[in-house]
Amino acid sequence: MMGTNEKRMVRILQAAVLLLSVPMIVIAFYSHPSVDDYGYGSSVHLWIQEHGYHVFGIIKCAAEFAYEYYFKWASSYLDSFTGALMPDNFGCYWISALIIYFLLTGGMLYLFQSMAASLGGKEYRWIGTVCALTGIVAVTQNWPSSAEALYWFDGAQCYMGYHAVSLWMCSVLVMYMFCGDKKRSIRLLVVSCVLAFLAGGGNNVTSFMDVLICCFFLGCAVLIKKKRGIVFPLIVSITGFLLELLAPGTAVRGGGDYGAVIPAIIKCFRWTLRQYILDWMNLGIGLMLLFLTPFLVRLMKRTAEKYSFRFPYPVLILAGGFCFLSAMSSPPFYILGESGPLRLRNLIYVNFVILSTGVYAYFLGWLITNKMREEQVTYIAGLYDGISQKYTAAFTLVMLIWLCAGNSQSYGSSLEAAKELLNGSAAQYHAEIQKRYELYENPEIEVVVVEPLSVKPEVIFFDDITDDPENWKNISTAKYFDKKSVRLSTYDPEIDYE
């Protein structure tokens, strides 16, 4: 199935993903907690200081914190619990970035492989691997904020962590929809329900997205008149979404004054078109889709033959993808009246890359079955093995380099991480935070005054305390270390006081 040139191209992709992962993993060891990390982790931290590392006691403490926060601020039913287990409480703050990174990349790989194997058969799984590897490069190198995607624990675990779980859920649902074995279908259905419950507990955007995904699969089940069991993960997803939407903490955080539905929907469409689609659909994504074309043509051709499917209504599919991306902005627009933070845009960008690949593949399927001659399809499907190895390797490298280069404002994530490791800014940041910890952990000092950070690495730095000891960031930090107050010695104009 896979030609010689294509095998080499896959090996180049695999090597690129591994190489790009190295600086992103290494720099995680220089990351440190900030702002909400201390607010969420203080209860467990203080409990450990008094009682030690007793597992059941720590879990009980985290559960009590989550219960309290559910009614006061954080409406998600799992995020506060996992947030209370902040890794720095256990001396391994770096581990969360690694877990989230591998959850995300593994979820994308599993999703694309499941789709390819389900559409074309197991022998086409490798095409899913190609799509996943290119998608992983596009996502991890160009997302709006690396710090909020991986390295700032509380924001990353709440958003990207639970979003990654949602990708795994979607993968299982794909496998369920195409599974012919009854017992295995039941197992997949149970797993999807568990993953739906977990994914819905992180943030209201992922929770709402899961409802839409399950509705889509239910619609497919109705059309094919089987696989009606999809209603169970849909019920779980709806329950999780309502647990978040109707939580007392949601009203507190949104001020209890939600926006009107229709204006919020209009804002979502307008924002998605202007801020996301027109900005993100750039030459890098174009090269990625062009690179994938021969692989996708082969997969779509096989799908059309296997299921006698002619890919109707491609414009409707395009509109559906756009509506799905727009819907991801609807919870913050409705509850908060704004588009949401960069950590939310990270999630939307992940889905943008996945949907761009999926919609493009569907459009190719429509062309194959409705507009193209058989010899044209065969030529495109075998294009890479019909040209020189040096050209296929060169095109693969050009596509990867363009995706990794970044933009006029910054490098891609791996290049930026490598730069900060090599120029010493990550090490300097780590050293300055360690000096602060010497003061924070000194029992003889109750009022801590620290110097502003001289470096703030773009990849791992998120926020800092202020020179105002009454600022909520300072109060959270002081509580975590059991101090009367903490503050910066001077005003830092780069720090947001909100």
Side-chain angles (χ1 to χ4, degrees):
M1 286 296 298
M2 194 189 310
T4 303
N5 279 356
E6 291 167 333
K7 289 179 181 178
R8 293 191 180 97
M9 296 168 81
V10 172
R11 285 197 288 269
I12 292 173
L13 289 172
Q14 291 170 334
V17 171
L18 289 174
L19 182 63
L20 293 170
S21 298
V22 171
M24 297 186 70
I25 290 172
V26 172
I27 204 169
F29 292 89
Y30 294 87
S31 60
H32 289 279
S34 64
V35 295
D36 280 347
D37 288 334
Y38 292 128
Y40 276 69
S42 61
S43 296
V44 169
H45 177 73
L46 295 174
W47 194 94
I48 291 174
Q49 297 299 306
E50 184 175 350
H51 303 282
Y53 292 98
H54 298 290
V55 175
F56 292 108
I58 291 172
I59 293 175
K60 180 175 181 292
C61 183
E64 290 173 348
F65 172 82
Y67 178 82
E68 179 183 4
Y69 246 51
Y70 182 79
F71 290 92
K72 286 186 176 181
W73 184 253
S75 59
S76 51
Y77 52 86
L78 287 178
D79 158 51
S80 299
F81 176 79
T82 51
L85 300 174
M86 199 259 291
D88 209 51
N89 289 335
F90 312 98
C92 54
Y93 189 75
W94 50 269
I95 199 170
S96 63
L98 272 60
I99 291 173
I100 295 169
Y101 183 74
F102 288 116
L103 263 180
L104 173 65
T105 54
M108 290 184 66
L109 182 62
Y110 189 32
L111 176 60
F112 278 110
Q113 286 182 338
S114 299
M115 293 177 66
S118 298
L119 292 174
K122 291 183 179 179
E123 65 272 23
Y124 285 83
R125 184 183 294 272
W126 68 273
I127 294 182
T129 301
V130 172
C131 294
L133 292 174
T134 54
I136 287 169
V137 173
V139 166
T140 59
Q141 301 307 304
N142 297 282
W143 44 24
S145 171
S146 293
E148 295 188 47
L150 297 176
Y151 303 105
W152 172 44
F153 166 72
D154 189 65
Q157 63 89 21
C158 174
Y159 281 80
M160 192 59 74
Y162 285 94
H163 186 73
V165 175
S166 179
L167 294 180
W168 286 89
M169 179 204 74
C170 192
S171 306
V172 174
L173 289 178
V174 170
M175 295 178 65
Y176 167 75
M177 293 297 294
F178 289 90
C179 181
D181 182 80
K182 186 176 181 180
K183 290 184 178 180
R184 186 165 183 261
S185 293
I186 293 174
R187 290 196 297 269
L188 290 170
L189 203 58
V190 171
V191 172
S192 68
C193 288
V194 173
L195 292 174
F197 175 77
L198 294 175
N203 62 84
N204 50 33
V205 173
T206 297
S207 183
F208 182 50
M209 183 189 72
D210 290 347
V211 174
L212 297 180
I213 290 172
C214 289
C215 285
F216 170 78
F217 281 110
L218 181 61
C220 295
V222 171
L223 287 176
I224 64 177
K225 298 180 180 179
K226 58 181 180 179
K227 296 296 181 180
R228 303 291 178 85
I230 201 73
V231 72
F232 293 108
L234 174 60
I235 292 172
V236 174
S237 296
I238 292 174
T239 302
F241 178 66
L242 291 177
L243 281 173
E244 292 203 353
L245 183 65
L246 303 178
T250 302
V252 173
R253 191 167 190 174
D257 184 22
Y258 300 153
V261 174
I262 300 302
I265 293 174
I266 294 173
K267 286 180 181 178
C268 290
F269 283 125
R270 181 173 176 269
W271 186 269
T272 301
L273 178 61
R274 294 183 61 182
Q275 301 296 324
Y276 299 150
I277 302 298
L278 296 180
D279 183 34
W280 294 341
M281 188 56 74
N282 51 33
L283 181 58
I285 296 298
L287 285 173
M288 181 190 79
L289 296 178
L290 183 63
F291 170 81
L292 291 175
T293 298
F295 303 109
L296 294 176
V297 165
R298 189 180 306 183
L299 179 61
M300 295 301 102
K301 181 176 182 291
R302 170 59 178 162
T303 302
E305 295 170 347
K306 185 177 180 181
Y307 297 102
S308 300
F309 188 61
R310 297 190 61 82
F311 300 89
Y313 314 116
V315 175
L316 185 61
I317 296 299
L318 176 63
F322 176 73
C323 289
F324 184 81
L325 285 180
S326 300
M328 292 186 69
S329 297
S330 59
F333 269 117
Y334 176 65
I335 296 172
L336 302 175
E338 59 184 38
S339 62
L342 290 178
R343 49 192 175 276
L344 167 59
R345 300 186 194 187
N346 286 334
L347 309 191
I348 299 175
Y349 187 73
V350 172
N351 281 2
F352 166 77
V353 172
I354 294 173
L355 284 171
S356 296
T357 305
V359 171
Y360 180 65
Y362 191 94
F363 180 73
L364 289 175
W366 176 77
L367 287 176
I368 290 168
T369 55
N370 295 277
K371 300 295 182 180
M372 297 175 66
R373 297 191 303 273
E374 180 66 25
E375 58 268 24
Q376 292 175 316
V377 176
T378 302
Y379 173 76
I380 295 174
L383 180 63
Y384 287 136
D385 270 341
I387 58 179
S388 170
Q389 174 190 338
K390 63 180 180 180
Y391 292 125
T392 57
F395 183 38
T396 306
L397 291 172
V398 168
M399 184 269 300
L400 289 171
I401 291 171
W402 199 279
L403 285 176
C404 297
N407 52 51
S408 57
Q409 285 77 39
S410 62
Y411 295 112
S413 299
S414 290
L415 288 177
E416 182 64 32
K419 184 189 79 172
E420 292 170 359
L421 288 168
L422 292 173
N423 67 16
S425 60
Q428 179 66 22
Y429 170 74
H430 174 71
E432 291 180 12
I433 294 293
Q434 289 297 100
K435 286 183 179 180
R436 289 187 180 186
Y437 267 58
E438 293 176 4
L439 299 176
Y440 289 154
E441 295 172 352
N442 188 333
E444 297 180 359
I445 303 176
E446 294 187 336
V447 177
V448 180
V449 181
V450 299
E451 296 297 319
L453 295 168
S454 65
V455 291
K456 301 180 178 72
E458 180 182 330
V459 173
I460 56 177
F461 174 80
F462 176 67
D463 204 355
D464 198 8
I465 59 173
T466 72
D467 62 334
D468 177 11
E470 299 303 317
N471 185 278
W472 69 272
K473 302 174 187 179
N474 300 58
I475 292 173
S476 295
T477 306
K479 180 182 178 182
Y480 184 89
F481 292 102
D482 196 22
K483 301 297 181 183
K484 284 186 177 180
S485 68
V486 299
R487 66 177 178 85
L488 294 180
S489 60
T490 59
Y491 171 72
D492 187 343
E494 297 180 358
I495 301 300
D496 183 6
Y497 276 59
E498 295 298 323

